[in-house]
Amino acid sequence: MLKLYWAPNTIASATAIVLNEGNVPWEGIRVDFASGEQTKPAFHKVNPKGRVPALVTPEGVLTETGAILEYLAATEVPSLVPVDPLHAARMREVMYFLASTMHVNHAHKMRGARWADEKRSWADMTAKVPETMALSCTYIEALIAGPFLFGDHVTLADAWLYPISCWLEADGVDIADFPKLAAFRAAMASRPSVRTAHDMGMIG
Amino acid sequence: MLKLYWAPNTIASATAIVLNEGNVPWEGIRVDFASGEQTKPAFHKVNPKGRVPALVTPEGVLTETGAILEYLAATEVPSLVPVDPLHAARMREVMYFLASTMHVNHAHKMRGARWADEKRSWADMTAKVPETMALSCTYIEALIAGPFLFGDHVTLADAWLYPISCWLEADGVDIADFPKLAAFRAAMASRPSVRTAHDMGMIG
């Protein structure tokens, strides 16, 4: 059975949502970020980058949300990737934006030590998160066809955007300023795949 | 014909390398970062994120290196993506690491204003780049099968890693500390696809 290393309110829930969408059996292994378990040698044997998600497959451990989601689509849940190359590219355009811009903006709230050494720099970064996350929301808002990113059909990008949308209040963004994103979040929250992730304590 | 918006020493050259690997005809449109052309309304009509690469396809503009490379593989150069889902996932694991971690580390040298408002924070970020880029190199070094990331066969991830490897000296990293990465860079540099990108002034 696939095993997913996860921690609450991290992007690991995107992988859980995809697994659940495909009714794929999986086992969760919770990593205790409060005690810094992700920084310790035992976890570094799983993922030397010290992050979640990490997915244990029969062929080894996979890391990086985007790689994991594509692997699950290819092996278990093909319906989550559009067949048309241009539509698939539009989905991946969002996925790479989430990975390289929006999640990175969020990470500057609590993880400034990754990129600077002085506490006052970390505070400066934290203070800017409401602005950078709102800017990312503005970009996403213009893309949403509704109710999901590309209309009625859920893709890998929706599973990824949902947990990030749940960070917005804590990141100082009022989701009411982004009505399509708010409607997206509500539509996703009603799906059994997402409710199960909430019930497990993965989100919120 | 496909058109690629690019600027020198940006990640846009990864797209050029993939186009060249597939002998795909394309036209380059150079964006003048020195005068801030990427921040102006005319370019924001191409890419509202104000970044390169942006690829003009018959069906619209595509952004995000990962989405563009996958699109080109799907439509023009299928040999650059492994057929086996696990091998493809290993390739994408590197691609997402480059997008979300290694390129982001590099961006903190010159683009601190994205994530903080005070100049002293930007200086703090800049000072840490040699450390964070060396850490990223340590992770990549352990992955390289040689001469390319996954052995003798070039993939999308190699086309992406090459331009980043060319930033290392300016980022304060001595590539000699990473012999497999140095050999990778030399092997890539000898490919016609890469030499053409150099000849166009896209890289270093």
Side-chain angles (χ1 to χ4, degrees):
Chain A
M1 190 185 299
L2 295 168
K3 292 182 188 179
L4 173 63
Y5 286 87
W6 66 278
N9 299 317
T10 66
I11 204 60
S13 58
T15 295
I17 291 168
V18 167
L19 288 161
N20 295 345
E21 285 284 336
N23 295 309
V24 181
W26 61 282
E27 178 189 339
I29 303 171
R30 186 168 167 163
V31 182
D32 185 9
F33 275 33
S35 68
E37 187 183 346
Q38 79 277 20
T39 66
K40 295 181 179 158
F43 186 72
H44 279 215
K45 285 183 188 164
V46 176
N47 180 4
K49 292 175 282 196
R51 308 266 182 102
V52 293
L55 186 74
V56 185
T57 80
E59 302 172 285
V61 177
L62 269 180
T63 64
E64 303 290 339
T65 292
I68 291 171
L69 299 194
E70 294 268 10
Y71 173 79
L72 290 173
T75 56
E76 305 274 3
V77 207
S79 63
L80 296 181
V81 176
V83 173
D84 178 81
L86 196 275
H87 294 167
R90 291 277 172 234
M91 176 193 77
R92 292 184 178 119
E93 192 171 38
V94 172
M95 292 168 70
Y96 273 99
F97 173 77
L98 298 179
S100 66
T101 299
M102 196 166 184
H103 191 146
V104 170
N105 288 342
H106 166 79
H108 281 75
K109 184 174 66 174
M110 300 282 286
R111 306 291 182 202
R114 288 181 186 162
W115 302 291
D117 287 331
E118 296 181 32
K119 284 187 180 175
R120 65 185 184 191
S121 305
W122 307 342
D124 191 9
M125 293 177 190
T126 299
K128 200 173 174 71
V129 168
E131 175 190 333
T132 62
M133 288 299 278
L135 197 64
S136 290
C137 288
T138 299
Y139 174 74
I140 290 289
E141 180 78 0
L143 295 180
I144 296 175
F148 306 113
L149 275 159
F150 303 104
D152 292 328
H153 194 78
V154 166
T155 71
L156 296 179
D158 295 294
W160 199 337
L161 177 59
Y162 179 74
I164 294 178
S165 74
C166 293
W167 297 339
L168 291 175
E169 283 82 356
D171 284 352
V173 175
D174 185 353
I175 197 169
D177 293 340
F178 304 96
K180 290 197 291 179
L181 185 55
F184 159 86
R185 191 168 76 175
M188 286 295 289
S190 72
R191 295 179 77 82
S193 64
V194 175
R195 286 208 307 270
T196 301
H198 277 278
D199 291 345
M200 286 181 63
M202 297 186 89
I203 305 169
Chain B
M1 190 187 298
L2 295 168
K3 292 182 188 179
L4 173 63
Y5 286 87
W6 66 279
N9 299 317
T10 67
I11 204 60
S13 58
T15 295
I17 292 167
V18 167
L19 288 162
N20 294 345
E21 285 285 335
N23 295 309
V24 180
W26 61 282
E27 178 189 340
I29 304 172
R30 185 167 168 165
V31 182
D32 185 11
F33 275 32
S35 69
E37 187 183 347
Q38 79 278 19
T39 66
K40 294 181 179 158
F43 186 71
H44 278 217
K45 284 183 189 165
V46 176
N47 181 5
K49 293 174 280 195
R51 309 266 182 102
V52 294
L55 185 74
V56 186
T57 79
E59 302 172 285
V61 177
L62 269 181
T63 64
E64 303 291 339
T65 292
I68 292 170
L69 299 194
E70 293 269 8
Y71 173 79
L72 290 173
T75 56
E76 303 274 5
V77 208
S79 63
L80 296 181
V81 176
V83 173
D84 178 80
L86 196 276
H87 294 167
R90 291 277 172 234
M91 176 192 78
R92 293 184 178 119
E93 192 170 39
V94 172
M95 292 167 72
Y96 273 100
F97 174 78
L98 297 179
S100 66
T101 299
M102 196 166 185
H103 192 147
V104 170
N105 288 342
H106 165 80
H108 281 75
K109 184 173 65 174
M110 300 282 285
R111 305 291 182 199
R114 288 181 187 162
W115 303 290
D117 287 330
E118 296 181 33
K119 285 187 181 175
R120 66 186 184 191
S121 305
W122 307 342
D124 191 9
M125 293 176 189
T126 300
K128 200 171 175 69
V129 168
E131 175 191 334
T132 61
M133 288 299 278
L135 197 63
S136 290
C137 288
T138 299
Y139 175 73
I140 290 290
E141 180 79 0
L143 294 180
I144 296 174
F148 306 113
L149 274 159
F150 303 104
D152 291 329
H153 193 78
V154 166
T155 71
L156 297 178
D158 295 293
W160 200 337
L161 177 59
Y162 178 75
I164 294 178
S165 74
C166 294
W167 296 339
L168 291 174
E169 283 81 355
D171 284 351
V173 175
D174 185 354
I175 198 169
D177 293 339
F178 304 97
K180 289 197 293 179
L181 185 55
F184 159 86
R185 189 168 78 175
M188 286 296 289
S190 72
R191 296 179 75 83
S193 65
V194 175
R195 286 207 307 271
T196 301
H198 277 278
D199 291 345
M200 285 181 63
M202 298 187 88
I203 306 168

